[in-house]
Amino acid sequence: MTKKPLILVTNDDGINAPGIRALIEVMNTLGDVVVVAPDSPQSGMGHAITINSTLYVWQIDNANEPQLEHCCSGTPADCVKLGVREILDRKPDLCVSGINHGSNSSINVIYSGTMSAAIEAGIEGIPAIGFSLLDYNWKANFEACKPFVKTITVNALKHGIPKNVVLNVNIPNVSKENIKGIKICRQAKANWVEAFEKRQNPQGRDYYWLSGKFVNLDDGKDTDEWALENNYVSVVPTQFDLTAHKHIKTLNNWNLNPNGL
């Protein structure tokens, strides 16, 4: 009898978010599922970890469900660290994070708690995928996501994910019938043009509210932004080695001898 894969499930919207419930449902058809997720929303936390305060983890009673669930007081990256080091009795075969309520395409991958959880798993040598739906609504409908989440996950389990690579998957917010397929893409060159709205509280103290507009600077047709705009699911192989390897030779031509300046 073939042993079922062990799948670690996490997210950044919190353990009660509809997105993670949809992800758990799909993963239960593919393997033995253990959930370790934040007790509250942690969106935009990036790769933050808890080092100056206590961390708490507690098991949730869900006797009618096949998965084991744990709630964590920390960040998404904390959840993966604790899951691997303290909760699981062996390294999982796969870690999946999401399904996020909102986009994590392009530059958003830098800020994403969803993707940081997946990247933390990748750092641990665990194949990992982050899933996101382009709908920020808490009551978003994840039904159209499920077959694509399953297809990508089945392929990852069958073929493996390249070493030191994590998959960043974004799904357009359209009906299943209107999704044209899945495209392997590169990350688009885009950024947020940000502004701070200055306000005052009732005591007269200034505070700031961040706002911004997302600007796509890339007209390529091989990017995640192009795929999503054209109703394709985008899959970007993402690496956590941030070294710009091709520029090492250039920098080695600098005069870096302090006595030679």
Side-chain angles (χ1 to χ4, degrees), residues 81-154:
K81 287 178 178 290
L82 283 164
V84 172
R85 302 285 183 217
E86 295 293 329
I87 295 171
L88 299 176
D89 56 7
R90 66 180 176 91
K91 182 179 286 190
D93 299 290
L94 181 71
C95 175
V96 291
S97 182
I99 302 169
N100 189 62
H101 292 242
S103 172
N104 279 317
S105 61
S106 186
I107 196 64
N108 295 301
V109 68
I110 298 293
Y111 308 109
S112 167
T114 299
M115 278 305 295
S116 289
I119 288 169
E120 180 62 36
I123 292 170
E124 294 280 351
I126 302 163
I129 311 171
F131 292 100
S132 303
L133 171 66
L134 274 63
D135 187 345
Y136 290 92
N137 194 317
W138 184 259
K139 297 181 179 180
N141 187 342
F142 290 91
E143 287 304 310
C145 295
K146 292 177 182 178
F148 298 98
V149 168
K150 185 169 185 177
T151 295
I152 293 167
T153 303
V154 166

XYZ file of all heavy atoms in Angstrom, residues 81-154:
557
model
N 7.859 27.041 11.085
C 8.958 26.642 11.962
C 8.466 25.722 13.081
O 9.063 24.671 13.357
C 9.627 27.880 12.563
C 10.473 28.692 11.595
C 11.045 29.919 12.290
C 11.932 30.739 11.366
N 13.201 30.060 11.045
N 7.385 26.101 13.726
C 6.850 25.293 14.820
C 6.281 23.975 14.307
O 6.428 22.933 14.953
C 5.775 26.079 15.568
C 6.298 27.153 16.517
C 5.182 28.115 16.908
C 6.896 26.516 17.769
N 5.632 24.030 13.152
C 5.093 22.809 12.584
C 6.176 21.778 12.331
O 6.035 20.595 12.679
N 7.271 22.225 11.733
C 8.363 21.320 11.382
C 9.135 20.857 12.611
O 9.488 19.680 12.742
C 9.307 22.003 10.371
C 10.553 21.163 10.127
C 8.569 22.272 9.061
N 9.388 21.781 13.543
C 10.268 21.470 14.682
C 9.555 20.837 15.874
O 10.144 20.051 16.612
C 10.960 22.748 15.166
C 11.775 23.467 14.120
C 13.063 22.763 13.833
N 13.851 23.520 12.867
C 14.584 22.959 11.912
N 14.613 21.656 11.798
N 15.278 23.692 11.065
N 8.275 21.179 16.074
C 7.624 20.782 17.314
C 6.380 19.909 17.142
O 6.046 19.147 18.040
C 7.217 22.041 18.117
C 8.392 22.870 18.597
C 9.221 22.153 19.646
O 8.645 21.355 20.409
O 10.441 22.381 19.695
N 5.689 20.039 16.029
C 4.388 19.375 15.904
C 4.462 18.097 15.081
O 3.944 17.057 15.490
C 3.359 20.358 15.313
C 3.120 21.514 16.297
C 2.043 19.651 14.987
C 2.287 22.644 15.749
N 5.091 18.146 13.938
C 5.162 16.980 13.066
C 6.237 16.008 13.534
O 7.284 16.426 14.043
C 5.447 17.412 11.628
C 4.400 18.319 10.977
C 4.865 18.754 9.594
C 3.057 17.619 10.891
N 5.980 14.725 13.323
C 6.970 13.718 13.726
C 7.934 13.377 12.600
O 8.858 12.588 12.774
C 6.284 12.455 14.245
C 5.313 11.849 13.229
O 5.271 12.338 12.080
O 4.608 10.888 13.588
N 7.697 13.943 11.427
C 8.641 13.802 10.314
C 8.482 14.991 9.386
O 7.488 15.723 9.456
C 8.418 12.498 9.556
C 7.086 12.400 8.815
C 6.976 11.053 8.107
N 5.689 10.846 7.462
C 5.434 11.181 6.200
N 6.384 11.764 5.458
N 4.243 10.931 5.667
N 9.456 15.199 8.524
C 9.394 16.314 7.586
C 8.251 16.079 6.603
O 8.110 14.983 6.048
C 10.718 16.444 6.823
C 10.757 17.614 5.851
C 12.100 17.717 5.145
C 13.172 18.252 6.063
N 14.423 18.565 5.301
N 7.417 17.093 6.369
C 6.304 16.908 5.431
C 6.798 16.746 4.003
O 7.874 17.213 3.632
C 5.483 18.185 5.594
C 6.436 19.193 6.132
C 7.409 18.434 6.976
N 5.993 16.076 3.211
C 6.313 15.899 1.794
C 6.014 17.153 0.992
O 6.556 17.346 -0.098
C 5.520 14.723 1.230
C 5.860 13.417 1.938
O 6.979 12.930 1.748
O 5.004 12.919 2.691
N 5.136 17.992 1.545
C 4.742 19.220 0.848
C 4.182 20.202 1.865
O 3.542 19.793 2.840
C 3.675 18.916 -0.208
C 3.166 20.084 -1.057
C 4.247 20.542 -2.030
C 1.904 19.695 -1.820
N 4.435 21.484 1.639
C 3.789 22.547 2.406
C 3.011 23.418 1.435
O 3.555 23.843 0.408
C 4.817 23.392 3.164
S 4.096 24.822 4.030
N 1.732 23.662 1.747
C 0.923 24.564 0.929
C 0.417 25.700 1.809
O 0.038 25.485 2.960
C -0.248 23.837 0.236
C 0.274 22.892 -0.823
C -1.110 23.082 1.246
N 0.421 26.896 1.255
C 0.036 28.086 2.007
C -1.065 28.824 1.252
O -0.988 29.007 0.040
C 1.252 28.999 2.191
O 0.931 30.141 2.956
N -2.119 29.238 1.964
C -3.224 29.948 1.325
C -4.560 29.309 1.689
O -4.666 28.710 2.743
N -5.513 29.361 0.840
C -5.563 30.183 -0.365
C -5.751 31.627 0.087
O -6.709 31.931 0.797
C -6.708 29.767 -1.302
C -6.550 28.291 -1.708
C -6.737 30.659 -2.545
C -7.775 27.728 -2.421
N -4.837 32.493 -0.312
C -4.865 33.869 0.146
C -6.041 34.641 -0.430
O -6.409 34.463 -1.589
C -3.559 34.573 -0.251
C -3.421 35.937 0.380
O -3.375 36.062 1.595
N -3.371 36.976 -0.442
N -6.598 35.513 0.390
C -7.638 36.431 -0.060
C -6.949 37.652 -0.668
O -6.633 38.613 0.027
C -8.516 36.858 1.113
C -9.360 35.767 1.684
N -10.730 35.817 1.676
C -9.038 34.594 2.277
C -11.219 34.730 2.255
N -10.201 33.966 2.633
N -6.661 37.631 -1.961
C -5.997 38.747 -2.618
C -4.755 38.324 -3.360
O -4.209 37.237 -3.150
N -4.275 39.189 -4.225
C -3.152 38.894 -5.111
C -1.814 38.851 -4.378
O -1.549 39.652 -3.485
C -3.077 39.952 -6.212
O -1.901 39.803 -6.971
N -0.985 37.908 -4.819
C 0.421 37.898 -4.425
C 1.308 37.812 -5.663
O 2.395 37.235 -5.633
C 0.719 36.737 -3.472
C 0.327 37.072 -2.045
O 0.582 38.167 -1.573
N -0.306 36.131 -1.370
N 0.837 38.395 -6.757
C 1.611 38.402 -7.994
C 2.652 39.511 -7.957
O 2.609 40.411 -7.123
C 0.677 38.609 -9.189
O 0.009 39.855 -9.079
N 3.599 39.413 -8.883
C 4.615 40.438 -9.078
C 5.326 40.793 -7.760
O 5.658 39.917 -6.972
C 4.002 41.677 -9.733
O 4.981 42.631 -10.053
N 5.504 42.084 -7.481
C 6.270 42.544 -6.322
C 5.584 42.205 -5.001
O 6.219 42.212 -3.945
C 6.521 44.068 -6.425
C 7.643 44.524 -5.473
C 5.237 44.845 -6.184
C 9.003 43.943 -5.793
N 4.299 41.878 -5.062
C 3.575 41.536 -3.838
C 4.166 40.326 -3.126
O 3.936 40.145 -1.925
C 2.097 41.273 -4.159
C 1.398 42.522 -4.653
O 1.346 43.529 -3.972
N 0.867 42.466 -5.870
N 4.915 39.507 -3.853
C 5.536 38.339 -3.233
C 6.488 38.747 -2.099
O 6.678 38.002 -1.131
C 6.280 37.508 -4.308
C 7.493 38.240 -4.851
C 6.673 36.147 -3.751
N 7.060 39.945 -2.201
C 7.996 40.421 -1.175
C 7.289 40.669 0.152
O 7.835 40.409 1.224
C 8.687 41.725 -1.642
C 9.510 41.467 -2.903
C 9.542 42.321 -0.542
C 10.706 40.565 -2.692
N 6.077 41.167 0.096
C 5.351 41.555 1.302
C 4.478 40.436 1.872
O 4.026 40.509 3.011
C 4.443 42.756 0.996
C 5.143 43.901 0.332
C 4.917 44.210 -1.006
C 6.058 44.683 1.031
C 5.572 45.258 -1.627
C 6.715 45.744 0.415
C 6.473 46.018 -0.914
O 7.125 47.058 -1.530
N 4.265 39.416 1.093
C 3.244 38.421 1.380
C 3.587 37.496 2.546
O 4.630 36.827 2.541
C 3.006 37.566 0.122
O 2.256 36.427 0.412
N 2.682 37.406 3.519
C 2.818 36.401 4.561
C 2.548 35.010 4.026
O 3.162 34.030 4.450
N 1.622 34.913 3.070
C 1.320 33.624 2.437
C 2.567 33.031 1.805
O 2.923 31.866 2.048
C 0.241 33.798 1.347
O -0.946 34.295 1.949
C -0.053 32.491 0.645
N 3.237 33.816 0.973
C 4.423 33.315 0.296
C 5.609 33.151 1.240
O 6.443 32.267 1.049
C 4.777 34.245 -0.868
C 3.969 33.984 -2.118
S 4.070 32.264 -2.693
C 5.818 32.165 -3.125
N 5.682 33.976 2.266
C 6.788 33.824 3.224
C 6.687 32.507 3.976
O 7.710 31.894 4.299
C 6.803 35.000 4.202
O 7.224 36.169 3.538
N 5.459 32.067 4.260
C 5.297 30.751 4.886
C 5.802 29.657 3.949
O 6.522 28.736 4.366
C 3.834 30.519 5.239
N 5.438 29.759 2.671
C 5.908 28.777 1.695
C 7.425 28.837 1.548
O 8.102 27.799 1.465
C 5.231 29.013 0.347
N 7.980 30.034 1.524
C 9.428 30.191 1.396
C 10.147 29.624 2.616
O 11.206 28.998 2.498
C 9.788 31.666 1.160
C 9.363 32.073 -0.261
C 11.274 31.932 1.378
C 9.426 33.562 -0.526
N 9.579 29.816 3.800
C 10.173 29.234 5.004
C 10.249 27.716 4.881
O 11.251 27.105 5.243
C 9.361 29.622 6.240
C 9.894 29.073 7.547
C 11.295 29.568 7.881
O 11.618 30.723 7.581
O 12.077 28.768 8.454
N 9.194 27.113 4.337
C 9.224 25.669 4.105
C 10.321 25.318 3.099
O 11.055 24.342 3.281
C 7.871 25.188 3.609
N 10.435 26.124 2.035
C 11.487 25.883 1.051
C 12.870 25.955 1.657
O 13.758 25.158 1.320
N 13.088 26.902 2.554
C 14.374 27.018 3.244
C 14.671 25.744 4.043
O 15.827 25.316 4.164
C 14.374 28.257 4.166
C 14.329 29.534 3.325
C 15.592 28.274 5.087
C 14.081 30.793 4.125
N 13.607 25.120 4.559
C 13.745 23.876 5.326
C 13.916 22.653 4.424
O 14.003 21.532 4.907
C 12.515 23.678 6.214
C 12.347 24.697 7.315
C 13.230 24.413 8.514
O 13.853 23.322 8.548
O 13.305 25.275 9.402
N 13.931 22.877 3.117
C 14.087 21.764 2.185
C 12.795 21.043 1.883
O 12.805 19.899 1.402
N 11.650 21.698 2.136
C 10.345 21.106 1.900
C 9.753 21.694 0.625
O 9.688 22.927 0.493
C 9.399 21.396 3.085
C 9.987 20.854 4.388
C 8.009 20.832 2.835
C 9.344 21.434 5.623
N 9.311 20.882 -0.326
C 8.618 21.433 -1.498
C 7.420 22.252 -1.041
O 6.678 21.840 -0.146
C 8.181 20.181 -2.273
C 9.106 19.098 -1.807
C 9.415 19.413 -0.375
N 7.218 23.413 -1.647
C 6.197 24.319 -1.129
C 5.539 25.126 -2.241
O 6.171 25.469 -3.246
C 6.796 25.260 -0.094
N 4.254 25.442 -2.010
C 3.458 26.214 -2.961
C 2.622 27.224 -2.185
O 2.018 26.878 -1.159
C 2.491 25.319 -3.768
C 3.210 24.096 -4.340
C 1.831 26.129 -4.891
C 2.270 23.069 -4.956
N 2.580 28.458 -2.672
C 1.673 29.463 -2.142
C 0.557 29.704 -3.144
O 0.820 29.911 -4.335
N -0.688 29.659 -2.681
C -1.849 29.865 -3.542
C -2.572 31.150 -3.149
O -2.779 31.414 -1.960
C -2.837 28.702 -3.415
C -2.346 27.392 -3.965
C -1.846 26.412 -3.124
C -2.383 27.134 -5.327
C -1.400 25.196 -3.614
C -1.938 25.927 -5.839
C -1.440 24.953 -4.982
N -2.997 31.928 -4.155
C -3.729 33.169 -3.910
C -4.831 33.343 -4.938
O -4.663 32.998 -6.116
C -2.797 34.381 -3.975
O -1.730 34.271 -3.051
N -5.955 33.887 -4.486
C -7.072 34.236 -5.361
C -7.178 35.757 -5.419
O -7.103 36.420 -4.381
C -8.385 33.650 -4.826
C -9.680 34.111 -5.514
C -9.737 33.624 -6.963
C -10.899 33.629 -4.734
N -7.380 36.304 -6.587
C -7.428 37.758 -6.749
C -8.772 38.328 -6.291
O -9.481 38.994 -7.044
C -7.147 38.143 -8.200
C -5.660 38.301 -8.560
C -4.905 36.998 -8.410
C -5.500 38.833 -9.973
N -9.121 38.057 -5.037
C -10.350 38.580 -4.448
C -10.076 38.813 -2.964
O -9.839 37.867 -2.212
C -11.499 37.592 -4.631
C -12.844 38.162 -4.191
O -12.862 39.196 -3.494
O -13.880 37.565 -4.545
N -10.104 40.088 -2.549
C -9.791 40.430 -1.159
C -10.991 40.266 -0.223
O -10.849 40.385 0.984
C -9.286 41.875 -1.080
C -7.919 42.063 -1.693
C -7.786 42.434 -3.038
C -6.768 41.862 -0.950
C -6.533 42.608 -3.604
C -5.506 42.029 -1.503
C -5.405 42.404 -2.837
O -4.157 42.559 -3.403
N -12.146 39.975 -0.779
C -13.354 39.852 0.018
C -13.273 38.642 0.941
O -12.915 37.543 0.512
C -14.571 39.717 -0.912
C -15.882 39.915 -0.192
O -16.093 39.419 0.909
N -16.792 40.630 -0.836
N -13.628 38.840 2.217
C -13.599 37.735 3.172
C -14.543 36.616 2.734
O -14.293 35.434 2.991
C -13.977 38.228 4.565
C -13.886 37.167 5.627
C -14.906 36.461 6.172
C -12.687 36.692 6.256
N -14.427 35.568 7.105
C -13.070 35.690 7.183
C -11.334 37.014 6.128
C -12.149 35.016 7.980
C -10.414 36.339 6.918
C -10.819 35.351 7.829
N -15.627 36.981 2.042
C -16.606 35.998 1.589
C -16.349 35.558 0.151
O -17.262 35.144 -0.559
C -18.020 36.566 1.725
C -18.416 36.860 3.168
C -19.837 37.409 3.249
C -20.227 37.684 4.697
N -21.620 38.227 4.804
N -15.111 35.632 -0.268
C -14.749 35.231 -1.632
C -15.159 33.783 -1.889
O -15.138 32.940 -0.989
C -13.248 35.395 -1.840
N -15.500 33.499 -3.132
C -15.887 32.155 -3.537
C -14.659 31.426 -4.090
O -14.098 31.819 -5.111
C -16.984 32.230 -4.605
C -17.545 30.867 -4.951
O -16.946 29.840 -4.670
N -18.719 30.863 -5.570
N -14.266 30.356 -3.412
C -13.052 29.631 -3.791
C -13.333 28.381 -4.616
O -12.407 27.614 -4.899
C -12.260 29.251 -2.533
C -11.634 30.438 -1.853
C -12.317 31.124 -0.867
C -10.374 30.883 -2.205
C -11.758 32.228 -0.237
C -9.797 31.981 -1.596
C -10.496 32.655 -0.609
N -14.575 28.163 -5.020
C -14.910 26.941 -5.746
C -14.142 26.822 -7.055
O -13.688 25.746 -7.427
C -16.418 26.877 -5.998
C -17.235 26.561 -4.761
C -16.800 25.268 -4.089
O -16.670 24.238 -4.786
O -16.572 25.293 -2.862
N -14.006 27.938 -7.791
C -13.307 27.884 -9.075
C -11.828 27.565 -8.917
O -11.185 27.064 -9.843
C -13.481 29.210 -9.818
N -11.278 27.857 -7.724
C -9.852 27.615 -7.470
C -9.526 26.132 -7.340
O -8.431 25.679 -7.709
C -9.416 28.286 -6.171
S -9.497 30.067 -6.136
N -10.464 25.373 -6.781
C -10.140 24.031 -6.288
C -9.555 23.087 -7.347
O -8.544 22.423 -7.087
C -11.377 23.422 -5.617
C -11.764 24.121 -4.327
C -13.032 23.540 -3.728
C -13.432 24.272 -2.468
N -14.700 23.747 -1.899
N -10.127 22.993 -8.545
C -9.535 22.073 -9.515
C -8.129 22.466 -9.944
O -7.292 21.593 -10.218
C -10.518 22.106 -10.694
C -11.340 23.324 -10.506
C -11.399 23.563 -9.047
N -7.836 23.758 -9.975
C -6.502 24.212 -10.368
C -5.502 23.998 -9.236
O -4.353 23.614 -9.477
C -6.560 25.682 -10.791
C -7.447 25.901 -11.984
C -8.764 26.333 -11.831
C -6.983 25.639 -13.261
C -9.592 26.511 -12.923
C -7.801 25.813 -14.370
C -9.114 26.243 -14.199
N -5.946 24.232 -8.010
C -5.101 23.940 -6.843
C -4.746 22.454 -6.827
O -3.594 22.078 -6.604
C -5.820 24.352 -5.542
C -5.091 23.798 -4.325
C -5.922 25.873 -5.450
N -5.742 21.625 -7.076
C -5.498 20.179 -7.053
C -4.564 19.759 -8.179
O -3.628 18.981 -7.970
C -6.820 19.422 -7.150
C -6.665 17.906 -6.999
C -8.002 17.215 -6.838
C -7.815 15.719 -6.568
N -9.102 15.035 -6.326
N -4.786 20.266 -9.380
C -3.946 19.907 -10.525
C -2.486 20.258 -10.281
O -1.581 19.444 -10.529
C -4.448 20.625 -11.792
O -5.752 20.143 -12.114
C -3.518 20.384 -12.972
N -2.244 21.461 -9.805
C -0.867 21.899 -9.563
C -0.234 21.086 -8.440
O 0.938 20.672 -8.526
C -0.838 23.407 -9.251
C -1.242 24.202 -10.499
C 0.537 23.851 -8.750
C -1.560 25.653 -10.241
N -0.996 20.808 -7.392
C -0.469 20.046 -6.263
C -0.152 18.615 -6.663
O 0.899 18.067 -6.289
C -1.467 20.055 -5.094
O -1.760 21.404 -4.723
C -0.899 19.326 -3.888
N -1.034 17.983 -7.417
C -0.789 16.612 -7.878
C 0.496 16.549 -8.697
O 1.321 15.636 -8.538
C -1.988 16.095 -8.702
C -1.619 14.822 -9.457
C -3.181 15.837 -7.787
